[in-house]
Amino acid sequence: LTEEQLDLLKGAMAQVVSATESATGRHVAKLLDDLGVAPGVVAGKTGTSVNRASQVRTASFAGFAPVAMPRYLAFCVLQKDRAEGFYGGRYAAPAAARLLLHALGVLTPADATARDAARAQQVRAAAPARRTVASAESTTGR
């Protein structure tokens, strides 16, 4: 790709992580704002899909940082059974952004707050029991 094409891609992916209502990564923009991190540090693309047969939702985010001179890439994929409102921008993007901020040295493990711990406990309590999914092994037994 040319430098101009790369700049266009980076700009488009930076817009995904903006505070505008239509931006699918607006939860990352809020996270950055709450942490006092300037906009434009993290960029990426959110994704959400539903397997109609199993009703498993997949939320994903592929992001990079810093936007101007990318050094780090993070890709987060989360899955949940029958979960309305389970979107890449709301769940996968903030998780990947935190990883990128750790890589940049903006966050440290000590930055985990009581609010984060309480939220994790709420999610665990609300999560349905795990179900076992049979693997699709080949007939050769591998």
Side-chain angles (χ1 to χ4, degrees):
L1 298 174
T2 67
E3 285 297 318
E4 182 180 346
Q5 291 168 326
L6 287 173
D7 287 341
L8 286 171
L9 283 171
K10 288 191 289 187
M13 293 175 89
Q15 286 300 309
V16 169
V17 182
S18 70
T20 61
E21 188 62 32
S22 61
T24 57
R26 64 186 171 278
H27 297 287
V28 172
K30 181 172 178 355
L31 170 69
L32 296 176
D33 186 53
D34 289 349
L35 294 171
V37 176
V41 173
V42 175
K45 180 64 183 102
T46 63
T48 304
S49 65
V50 180
N51 180 316
R52 300 279 183 217
S54 67
Q55 292 302 305
V56 171
R57 291 181 72 97
T58 301
S60 63
F61 180 76
F64 60 92
V67 176
M69 294 287 291
R71 272 183 76 189
Y72 301 103
L73 171 71
F75 188 68
C76 180
V77 178
L78 304 171
Q79 291 187 314
K80 192 168 185 173
D81 290 344
R82 301 179 238 15
E84 291 300 318
F86 189 69
Y87 299 106
R90 181 172 207 112
Y91 293 95
R98 282 184 178 273
L99 181 63
L100 290 166
L101 293 174
H102 280 283
L104 292 170
V106 173
L107 289 177
T108 66
D111 293 325
T113 65
R115 189 181 108 205
D116 293 333
R119 177 69 182 134
Q121 190 173 24
Q122 287 174 336
V123 169
R124 280 193 298 275
R130 289 187 173 193
R131 66 184 176 111
T132 304
V133 178
S135 66
E137 292 184 27
S138 68
T139 56
T140 60
R142 290 189 219 156

